[in-house]
């Protein structure tokens, strides 16, 4: 129960951290949200409305090719304005900046005495014209005030409205002549996508309308805009009223742009207005709001909409006008954020409870179900009341909460597994545990034949020790002994097979395969000798051990029955290792190995001790004494001993050599042995009783000590 409460507290901590992240609303969270809304529009763009009184005059590539490069002389623009007015345009809106004087004017009209800007101003004054100003970096604030009057309701509704600051504005004479001036800037994020359009801007106490709002005002002949603020005192904008139209806005006075595919006939090439028969287009211009802009790529007025299309900026103003005329708006009120937080919290808590109470797999099913439900709710809200509810953060949070809870469960389970490993590690070699954890099939009965190195270790004079030692103290001594011996075996990648009374059996190259298993077994035996010496140094009753090591084929695997089995090995190699361990006392050395073991570890120091008769074996087994490691093998004392030992073996193997020749050689080897390693001379003291082990003659039965202390392992 305590663990469940801990898991619940961990889940709550993750939920609170994610809630803080959503409230802070960093840039990646905003990008994910807005990209999701873009995807909704791409799946279901705005429906095609009935014919609306909106037209675009496009300064396209063909018009530039026919009429000349941009900028055109202002007298041409005056002609364009006049002709559109004659055709009955309700508003002529220039999505073009006129912040500098016409450079072509002096050269073209030197004889007329009137420059192009004056001609253009006259045309603007005689038509329902709207010019653009643009927010810019480094420019001066707008000089002239807005053309329209502004009425406001609510307490300080402009608190969150964006400020223009510097601006690129029309020439004073042009601005004064026009019926309206609007801000042409689009709302864009760092990715350059036009998602929102500010409908009003402020500069101090002045309120400037957006280009689309100003176009609506001029087209309706209205003189005043009404900014409806939050009546609860929140200092936000709720609506903008233009003539007979009411446009709901966000808190800062902007709208979410809802795009559709615009028909090709919405735009007319500008060159068609300059032909002699332009009057035939009256039915396409009369009563329309006419937006003049450019789709030519060289004029750098190309924007990206939420449908992923690169479009002319003037078409985005046309999309906004369509939304205002049809009353189709995307809604994202302040309370939607609270709803999203509530959805996130409920979903995350359900996932936490599912993982804690039923486990990760059920939690995954709950997470997937919750994710699908969130997407469905968001989509239904979008296609129905056109409400923008963000599913992205809730989906992200569901993923993080599930992953965190699953990881927590894994960490707890892993901690339990480590405790199990620590407990069973006293009995089972760690690599076997690892393999069992990774492959449960290892628990099946059976085995395979492979090359192994097998070790037997036995305590010398254990019967005498047991007779004079109380049982509790004897068990404690054996436990201390087995602790250091087991540590040496496991530390050199060995598998402890079993503890048998006062003996230990271990093997190498199973279950994990090892390249130099014989070398590792020899190194473990030397480490066991050293550890025992350290233990004896602090004991009043020292112990001695014998170690036998054999390398060869053996059958290794799970032996027993389904409910009770051991991972062990059987075969002649096992029997040989047990028998040569029993021969340690006969040969006078504590570590004996077979020839295959010594050949597999040539770096170590070995001494050939002839062939010994082993119980149950038809042929004598050649054995070698393991004296030391690489350092011993390379030492000068051992090199001298090895030479003398080889000479002695030559004498012994010849047969019939007089004792007068053998005894000096034995004495010399014993002297060199003590200089090499204390106690090593015991090998040579035992040799007079073992001469037949070197000559090949049978050993008398009364001198055969191989049987004593040996282990009969099958």
């Amino acid at each position: 129960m305590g663990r469940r409460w801990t898991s619940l507290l961990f889940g709550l901590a993750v939920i609170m951290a994610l809630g803080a992240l959503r409230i802070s609303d960093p840039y990646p969270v905003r990008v994910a949200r807005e990209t999701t809304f873009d995807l909704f529009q791409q799946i279901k763009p705005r429906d095609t409305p009935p014919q609306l009184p909106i037209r675009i005059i496009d300064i396209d590539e063909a018009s530039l090719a026919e009429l000349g490069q941009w900028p055109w002389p202002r007298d041409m623009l005056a002609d364009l304005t006049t002709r559109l007015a004659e055709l009955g345009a309700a508003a002529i809106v220039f999505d073009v900046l006129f912040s500098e004087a016409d450079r072509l004017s002096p050269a073209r009209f030197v004889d007329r005495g009137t420059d192009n800007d004056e001609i253009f101003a006259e045309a603007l004054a005689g038509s329902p014209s709207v010019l653009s100003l643009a927010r810019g970096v480094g420019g001066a604030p707008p000089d002239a005030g807005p053309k329209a009057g502004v009425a406001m309701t609510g307490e300080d509704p402009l608190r969150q409205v964006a400020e223009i600051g510097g601006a690129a504005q029309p020439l004073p004479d042009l601005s004064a002549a026009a019926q309206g001036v609007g801000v042409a800037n689009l709302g864009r994020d760092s990715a350059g996508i036009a998602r929102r359009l500010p409908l009003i801007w402020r500069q101090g106490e002045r309120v400037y309308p957006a280009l689309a709002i100003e176009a609506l005002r001029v087209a309706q002949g209205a003189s005043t805009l009404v900014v409806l603020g939050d009546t609860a005192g929140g200092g936000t904008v709720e609506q903008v009223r233009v003539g007979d139209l009411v446009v709901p806005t966000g808190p800062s006075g902007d709208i979410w742009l809802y795009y559709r595919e615009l028909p090709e006939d919405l735009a007319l090439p500008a060159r068609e207005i300059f032909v002699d028969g332009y009057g035939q287009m009256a039915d396409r211009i009369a009563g329309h709001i006419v937006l003049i802009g450019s789709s030519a790529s060289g004029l750098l007025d190309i924007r990206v909409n939420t449908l992923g299309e690169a479009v002319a900026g003037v078409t985005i103003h046309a999309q906004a006008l369509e939304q205002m005329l049809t009353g189709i708006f995307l809604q994202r009120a302040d309370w939607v954020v609270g709803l999203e937080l509530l959805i996130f919290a409920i979903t995350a808590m359900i996932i936490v409870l599912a993982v804690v109470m039923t486990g990760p797999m059920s939690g995954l099913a709950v997470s997937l179900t919750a994710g699908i439900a969130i997407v469905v709710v968001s989509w239904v809200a979008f296609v129905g009341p056109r409400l923008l509810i963000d599913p992205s953060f809730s989906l992200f949070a569901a993923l993080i909460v599930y992953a965190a809870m699953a990881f927590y469960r894994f960490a707890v389970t892993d901690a339990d597994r480590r405790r199990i490993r620590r407990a069973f590690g006293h009995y089972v070699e760690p690599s076997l545990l690892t393999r069992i954890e990774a492959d449960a099939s290892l628990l099946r009965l059976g085995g395979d034949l492979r090359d192994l190195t097998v070790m037997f270790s036995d305590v010398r004079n254990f019967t005498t020790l047991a007779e004079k030692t109380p049982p509790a103290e004897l068990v404690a001594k054996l436990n201390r002994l087995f602790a250091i011996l087991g540590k040496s075996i496991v530390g050199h990648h060995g598998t402890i097979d079993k503890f048998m009374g006062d003996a230990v059996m271990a093997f190498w190259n199973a279950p994990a395969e090892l390249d130099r298993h014989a070398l590792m077994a020899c190194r473990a035996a030397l480490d066991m000798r050293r550890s025992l010496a350290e233990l004896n140094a602090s004991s009043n009753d020292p112990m001695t051990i014998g170690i036998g090591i054999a390398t060869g084929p053996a059958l290794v695997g799970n032996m027993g029955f389904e409910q009770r089995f051991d991972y062990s090995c059987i075969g002649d190699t096992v029997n040989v290792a047990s028998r040569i361990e029993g021969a340690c006392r006969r040969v006078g050395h504590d570590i004996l190995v077979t020839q295959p073991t010594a050949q597999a570890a040539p770096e170590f120091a070995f001494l050939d001790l002839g062939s010994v008769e082993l119980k149950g074996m038809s042929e004598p087994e050649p054995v070698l004494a393991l004296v030391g490691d690489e350092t011993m093998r390379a030492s000068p004392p051992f090199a001298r001993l090895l030479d003398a030992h080889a000479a002695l073996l030559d004498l012994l193997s010849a047969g019939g050599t007089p004792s007068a020749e053998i005894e000096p050689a034995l004495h010399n080897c014993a002297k060199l042995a003590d200089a090499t390693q204390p106690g090593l001379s015991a090998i040579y003291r035992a040799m007079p009783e073992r001469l037949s082990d070197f000559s090949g003659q049978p050993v008398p039965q009364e001198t055969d000590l191989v049987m004593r202390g040996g282990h009969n392992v099958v």
Side-chain angles (χ1 to χ4, degrees):
M1 182 62 69
R3 182 169 294 175
R4 282 189 174 182
W5 280 109
T6 304
S7 299
L8 284 173
L9 290 176
F10 175 78
L12 287 174
V14 174
I15 293 173
M16 291 176 65
L18 289 169
L21 177 67
R22 176 60 185 87
I23 292 172
S24 64
D25 202 26
Y27 175 75
V29 173
R30 296 197 304 271
V31 169
R33 177 171 62 247
E34 293 175 347
T35 302
T36 302
F37 294 155
D38 293 350
L39 179 61
F40 283 178
Q41 289 200 42
Q42 292 166 16
I43 297 173
K44 189 183 185 305
R46 182 163 51 87
D47 294 333
T48 300
Q51 189 68 35
L52 295 174
I54 300 172
R55 191 69 63 193
I56 294 174
I57 301 300
D58 186 10
I59 305 172
D60 58 0
E61 301 285 359
S63 297
L64 293 175
E66 181 175 326
L67 302 176
Q69 67 180 11
W70 187 263
W72 290 339
R74 300 278 166 81
D75 66 332
M76 287 183 61
L77 296 177
D79 290 343
L80 177 62
T81 303
T82 301
R83 294 188 179 195
L84 291 173
E86 291 176 359
L87 294 174
I92 304 170
V93 184
F94 283 90
D95 186 21
V96 180
L97 292 177
F98 301 110
S99 56
E100 297 178 353
D102 187 358
R103 294 174 301 159
L104 304 177
S105 184
R108 292 194 58 182
F109 301 101
V110 64
D111 296 328
R112 292 174 54 180
T114 304
D115 66 18
N116 290 350
D117 289 321
E118 292 179 356
I119 296 173
F120 188 33
E122 291 177 4
L124 294 174
S127 63
S129 57
V130 179
L131 297 183
S132 299
L133 66 84
R135 185 186 193 189
V137 178
D143 296 327
K147 292 284 186 175
V150 177
M152 291 182 287
T153 66
E155 182 180 347
D156 192 15
L158 303 181
R159 187 183 307 169
Q160 298 186 36
V161 173
E163 188 167 3
I164 294 178
Q169 51 191 317
L171 294 173
D173 290 344
L174 300 181
S175 178
Q179 301 295 312
V181 175
V183 181
N185 292 81
L186 303 170
R188 290 185 295 166
D189 61 10
S190 59
I193 300 176
R195 296 188 173 100
R196 287 184 292 275
L197 176 67
L199 298 187
I200 55 174
W201 299 75
R202 67 184 176 89
Q203 183 64 43
E205 298 298 325
R206 295 175 175 176
V207 176
Y208 290 84
L211 192 63
I213 288 290
E214 190 73 334
L216 282 176
R217 183 188 68 82
V218 171
Q220 295 182 82
S223 60
T224 304
L225 302 177
V226 180
V227 178
L228 302 175
D230 177 20
T231 56
T236 60
V237 180
E238 290 188 347
Q239 295 177 341
V240 174
R241 180 176 298 166
V242 188
D244 297 330
L245 297 176
V246 176
V247 183
T249 70
S252 60
D254 59 357
I255 63 169
W256 286 80
L257 291 167
Y258 192 5
Y259 290 91
R260 72 175 180 106
E261 296 285 344
L262 294 178
E264 293 183 0
D265 62 357
L266 181 67
L268 297 174
R271 57 190 176 89
E272 294 186 9
I273 305 298
F274 288 95
V275 300
D276 292 338
Y278 69 90
Q280 298 177 358
M281 290 187 291
D283 59 334
R284 303 179 65 183
I285 299 297
H288 286 62
I289 298 174
V290 180
L291 300 168
I292 302 172
S294 175
S295 65
S297 57
L299 299 189
L300 305 178
D301 191 28
I302 303 300
R303 303 289 186 265
V304 178
N305 63 21
T306 59
L307 304 182
E309 302 169 336
V311 297
V314 67
T315 65
I316 298 177
H317 294 293
Q319 298 265 16
L321 283 169
E322 285 191 350
Q323 288 184 244
M324 297 176 196
L325 291 174
T326 58
I328 297 176
F329 300 101
L330 297 176
Q331 307 288 336
R332 186 167 171 80
D334 290 342
W335 59 266
V336 173
V337 177
L339 176 63
E340 291 170 351
L341 286 171
L342 182 63
I343 292 173
F344 144 70
I346 293 175
T347 302
M349 199 62 215
I350 290 174
I351 293 172
V352 168
L353 291 173
V355 175
V356 171
M357 304 302 294
T358 62
M361 294 306 297
S362 298
L364 178 60
V366 170
S367 300
L368 293 175
T369 302
I372 293 172
I374 290 170
V375 172
V376 169
V377 168
S378 299
W379 177 251
V380 170
F382 177 78
V383 299
R386 294 186 289 275
L387 189 63
L388 294 176
I389 298 177
D390 174 31
S392 65
F393 185 80
S394 294
L395 292 176
F396 167 76
L399 173 64
I400 295 299
V401 169
Y402 173 76
M405 295 304 298
F407 175 79
Y408 184 82
R409 283 288 297 264
F410 168 79
V412 171
T413 303
D414 189 61
D416 291 340
R417 183 184 300 173
R418 287 196 298 270
R419 284 193 291 272
I420 293 172
R421 287 180 66 90
R422 285 195 295 269
F424 283 93
H426 295 294
Y427 312 103
V428 182
E429 198 274 329
S431 63
L432 176 59
L433 280 177
T434 301
R435 288 194 60 189
I436 290 174
E437 290 170 351
D439 185 3
S441 64
L442 291 176
L443 295 176
R444 294 196 302 266
L445 296 178
D448 60 288
L449 187 68
R450 69 168 66 180
D451 194 50
L452 297 182
T453 296
V454 183
M455 171 193 286
F456 276 84
S457 173
D458 192 10
V459 178
R460 293 286 171 258
N461 301 319
F462 179 73
T463 302
T464 303
L465 179 65
E467 289 176 351
K468 66 179 183 178
T469 307
E473 184 179 343
L474 179 63
V475 171
K477 289 176 68 71
L478 284 177
N479 285 341
R480 287 194 295 271
L481 174 66
F482 290 152
I484 62 171
L485 299 184
K487 182 179 180 181
S488 297
I489 293 169
V490 174
H492 293 284
H493 307 288
T495 298
I496 298 176
D497 187 299
K498 58 180 69 72
F499 294 99
M500 303 171 293
D502 62 328
V504 181
M505 175 184 171
F507 53 87
W508 279 258
N509 204 37
E513 294 187 359
L514 303 171
D515 291 336
R516 302 291 304 278
H517 50 89
L519 177 72
M520 293 179 183
C522 292
R523 200 178 297 280
L526 294 174
D527 195 35
M528 292 164 68
R529 173 196 286 170
R530 178 190 57 77
S531 299
L532 180 61
E534 294 175 355
L535 180 65
N536 287 335
S538 61
S539 174
N540 295 325
D541 196 3
M543 292 182 287
T544 58
I545 61 173
I547 299 174
I549 303 174
T551 299
L555 186 68
V556 61
N558 294 316
M559 313 293 176
F561 59 98
E562 293 292 345
Q563 286 73 35
R564 177 71 177 177
F565 56 83
D566 292 320
Y567 190 81
S568 185
C569 58
I570 58 175
D572 285 343
T573 300
V574 180
N575 295 335
V576 170
S578 174
R579 301 297 191 270
I580 64 173
E581 179 272 318
C584 287
R585 184 183 304 171
R586 171 179 168 80
V587 303
H589 194 66
D590 60 340
I591 306 176
L592 296 182
V593 304
T594 61
Q595 277 188 346
T597 303
Q599 291 169 356
E603 302 94 328
F604 282 7
F606 296 99
L607 290 176
D608 186 353
L609 298 184
S611 300
V612 297
E613 293 280 349
L614 302 179
K615 180 182 178 180
M617 303 296 170
S618 59
E619 298 292 335
E621 181 71 29
V623 296
L624 296 91
L626 174 58
V627 180
D629 58 10
E630 300 95 332
T631 303
M632 174 65 75
R633 178 73 175 79
S635 67
F638 181 76
R640 291 191 289 269
L641 172 61
L642 194 60
D643 291 339
H645 187 82
L648 175 62
L649 292 182
D650 289 341
L651 292 175
L652 296 177
S653 62
T657 303
S659 298
E661 295 183 24
I662 295 177
E663 289 179 2
L666 280 172
H667 179 74
N668 182 45
C669 286
K671 181 179 178 181
L672 293 173
D674 281 336
T676 300
Q677 186 180 88
L680 188 59
S681 61
I683 291 175
Y684 302 99
R685 291 196 297 271
M687 277 190 179
E689 303 295 327
R690 304 181 52 240
L691 297 181
S692 62
D693 292 347
F694 300 94
S695 63
Q697 299 297 320
V699 179
Q701 186 65 34
E702 62 270 20
T703 64
D704 186 2
L705 304 181
V706 174
M707 306 295 292
R708 302 175 188 178
H711 294 283
N712 189 4
V713 180
V714 179

